[in-house]
Amino acid sequence: MPSVPRVVRSRFGVLPDGTEVERVTLQAADGLEARIITYGASLQALLVPDAAGHRDDIVLGHDTFEGYLARRQFFGATVGRYANRIAGGRFVLDGAEVQLAANNGPNALHGGPEGFDRRNWRIVAIEDGDHPAVTLAYTSADGEEGYPGTLDVEVTWRVAGPMELSLEMTARTDRLTIVNLTNHSFFNLSGARSGRDILDHRLTVAADHFVAIDAGAIPLPQPPSAVDGTPFDFRAGVEIGARIRNDHPQLRVGRGYDHNFCLGPAGAEPRFAARLVAPASGRVLELFTNQPGLQVYSGNFLDGTTAGKGGRLYRQSDAICLEPHAWPDTPNRPDFPTARLAPGEIYRHTTSYRFTHAIQGAIGTQSEVDSPRGSGR
């Protein structure tokens, strides 16, 4: 008997110039389902069973393409050429000053006004079988948004296991440049249409330090700050809402959590970075990455003006972003891990999203929540 196809390719929308936007659906045997659209190489939907076996979409976004085109909010998007902020939209690379397009006050944010999230990527490969995958590609021209060098980028989404979705990003350049890519999914493990916020989600982050920021979300001119004794200490697992209203200067300047947590040096293999547990659904997300930082953003600027899936208005703390990438403003901070990419080198970003369920009645306990499975720690 022939196997059931686990990849479905379909039309999702049309750009103003008539170019088709496609959607590729990847299906796992145990119910996990990822839907990726070519616009922004974005994760448009992610269906995951809860502890009772009921599937829900757990990422914010839009049901139709028109919502993505109408307003830029990075829902599920691939972000680049440089995720996060670069101070003043400028940096010096081997003695030459580079001026970027500024789109966040005086700063450059998430690749500029027309970053990778606003581009329609090409589908270059589709794999069926037990580990279905789609690979999308985009070529960023020399000088695009001010960045030097022609950059060839590929992003592969893969169902790596019955309850695991992996993401691999690679990039090559013909000229010295900087690269810092991430995925900007907004997670709500209770369900994107549940009507619940994420303040009761229990978050663990494997970081002893975080990067303090100024009013423009640019790193302060100091080394990373210790999380010990602050509302930024998530090492043992804490409800997101437990301390988000504390009168801490960094919570005030960020309007909540919008900070880079320092995971350690970038490596070839992914390591445990974070865990998110939703008590209402019992879903557990474990994030593994080879990146040196994890931006934790608690949806502070969702203000109720955007209608998302099911017509739901998205408001503050309706979701949380866990964005693995290099530290912010790295090109201007020689004390931070580098984001340089030279010709002949390959940029590699690997992130895995592994889903399990909390043991009935044990949500939030030390054994279930705070002991990373398979992390090697």
Side-chain angles (χ1 to χ4, degrees), residues 116 121 136-139 151-155 169-172 181:
F116 291 178
W121 294 52
L136 305 101
Y138 176 69
T139 299
L151 192 74
D152 291 308
V153 188
E154 287 193 352
V155 170
M169 305 179 180
T170 61
R172 296 170 175 83
L181 309 179

Side-chain angles (χ1 to χ4, degrees), residues 231-285:
F232 294 83
D233 189 352
F234 287 98
R235 291 173 296 183
V238 180
E239 284 188 357
I240 296 168
R243 301 173 302 197
I244 199 170
R245 310 294 185 207
N246 284 19
D247 187 18
H248 187 282
Q250 281 298 300
L251 289 175
R252 276 190 267 120
V253 76
R255 294 177 59 174
Y257 296 106
D258 193 6
H259 296 76
N260 173 75
F261 286 75
C262 307
L263 302 176
E269 298 299 323
R271 61 187 181 278
F272 175 77
R275 180 182 294 102
L276 194 62
V277 182
S281 68
R283 293 186 184 93
V284 178
L285 164 60

Side-chain angles (χ1 to χ4, degrees), residues 51-131:
H54 177 73
R55 292 202 313 169
D56 280 308
D57 185 2
I58 62 164
V59 293
L60 270 55
H62 299 284
D63 293 315
T64 63
F65 176 60
E66 287 71 22
Y68 293 92
L69 196 61
R71 186 175 181 185
R72 186 188 193 192
Q73 292 187 289
F74 307 103
F75 290 135
T78 295
V79 174
R81 191 178 293 197
Y82 194 94
N84 217 310
R85 292 165 178 83
I86 295 178
R90 66 171 64 90
F91 58 93
V92 175
L93 191 62
D94 275 10
E97 182 170 304
V98 176
Q99 180 63 58
L100 306 174
N103 62 323
N104 186 241
N107 307 315
L109 171 67
H110 290 341
E114 296 295 326
F116 291 178
D117 61 294
R118 301 289 283 181
R119 310 291 179 169
N120 197 35
W121 294 52
R122 310 183 309 275
I123 296 175
V124 295
I126 289 179
E127 302 173 46
D128 208 331
D130 292 338
H131 302 290

